[in-house]
Every structure is written in C-alpha cells, then in structure tokens.
Amino acid sequence: MSDQPTLPVTFRPSRTRAVLLSAGAVLFLVISAIALLLELGPGERLSFVLTGALCFWVPAQLARVRVVADDSGVTVVNIASRRRLEWAEILQVNLRQGDPWVFLDLSDGTSLPALGIQPGIDKQQAIAHARALRSLVDARSVHGPDPDQG
C-alpha cells in the first residue's frame, strides 16, 4: 500500500510534545530565576531549583509517549509503561471520534491505549498516524484486514 510508512517509524504527538516541553522549560526557568532573585539561603535556593526541575520532569514524562513500529512489531511507550508487541498480537487499531488516543485491540482479548497517537492538539496528524499504523497492522498481521470478508 502506498500509505504505509517506511519502517522503522515513530509516531508521536509532535505539537503536544512541543507544548509540554516548552511549558516545562518555562516553569523551570521561572522558578530558578525566582530562587536567584530572592534573598534565600543556599538550601532554600536548591529547593526552588529542585522544584523547578520537578516541574520540568512531569511534562517531560508526558511528552515521551510514542509508538514505534519496526519490522518485527510495535513498541508502545506510555507515561509509565513500555510494551513490546509482535505484529500478530495486534488485531485492530482504533481511533474513534471522541477517543483521547488510539487503542490497540490485542489477540489476548485486551485493549492497549497507545498515547503516542492522540488527537488533542493536532487531530489531522493523529488521524494520519492511526491510518498509517492500521495499514501496517493489516499488511503484517496474520489475521489479515478482515477475516469475515471473502
């Protein structure tokens, strides 16, 4: 299919990521600047800087989400977890209207959220990424695009 990306490919919410990392950096800089401008002792300044670092770390963790597809399968990196899937484990890629991100229906009967494809700030990018991943799953899965047809 012509809409299949070349592997390996990484899907991530680039605009959301840029906003999160920028906001985290601004928070860190503002809190650190306040620590330098106020008349504080070294321990208090350090606590401000560490608080600023924490204020950067949280959005950085939110920004690390991604879905990486390669020849052997898909790696889903969410906020606090990472899961490696073989192509055959993925039955379907779903991004329905109102969904906060893509859900992968798996062969074990569960559904795995894939936060790396989310329509939050850039809906068109999320739709394109979901279609590309769906195309890859359909082409590489032993289940085929739809076993009920034909």
Side-chain angles (χ1 to χ4, degrees):
M1 290 186 133
S2 60
D3 59 343
Q4 285 186 13
T6 304
L7 296 178
V9 62
T10 300
F11 303 107
R12 62 176 46 171
S14 53
R15 285 187 186 171
T16 301
R17 184 171 196 231
V19 168
L20 286 167
L21 292 175
S22 298
V26 167
L27 283 170
F28 174 74
L29 292 173
V30 168
I31 292 171
S32 296
I34 289 170
L36 296 175
L37 294 174
L38 294 176
E39 292 185 25
L40 302 171
E44 293 169 317
R45 279 198 175 133
L46 179 61
S47 70
F48 266 77
V49 172
L50 290 176
T51 300
L54 180 64
C55 288
F56 176 77
W57 181 81
V58 170
Q61 291 305 301
L62 296 172
R64 71 187 275 274
V65 298
R66 62 188 176 278
V67 177
V68 181
D70 59 33
D71 288 325
S72 61
V74 175
T75 302
V76 177
V77 179
N78 288 332
I79 296 168
S81 67
R82 174 187 302 258
R83 183 159 176 199
R84 178 74 183 161
L85 301 165
E86 301 298 320
W87 287 110
E89 292 180 80
I90 306 170
L91 300 179
Q92 191 169 4
V93 177
N94 296 307
L95 180 59
R96 293 174 290 265
Q97 187 170 347
D99 281 350
W101 39 71
V102 160
F103 289 91
L104 304 178
D105 290 341
L106 304 180
S107 59
D108 66 1
T110 63
S111 182
L112 176 67
L115 279 63
I117 303 174
Q118 53 181 269
I121 293 177
D122 194 349
K123 184 177 182 178
Q124 295 307 314
Q125 180 191 47
I127 291 169
H129 286 177
R131 285 182 178 153
L133 183 58
R134 183 178 298 132
S135 174
L136 288 167
V137 167
D138 288 348
R140 294 174 180 277
S141 173
V142 295
H143 307 289
D146 189 353
D148 294 332
Q149 291 184 354

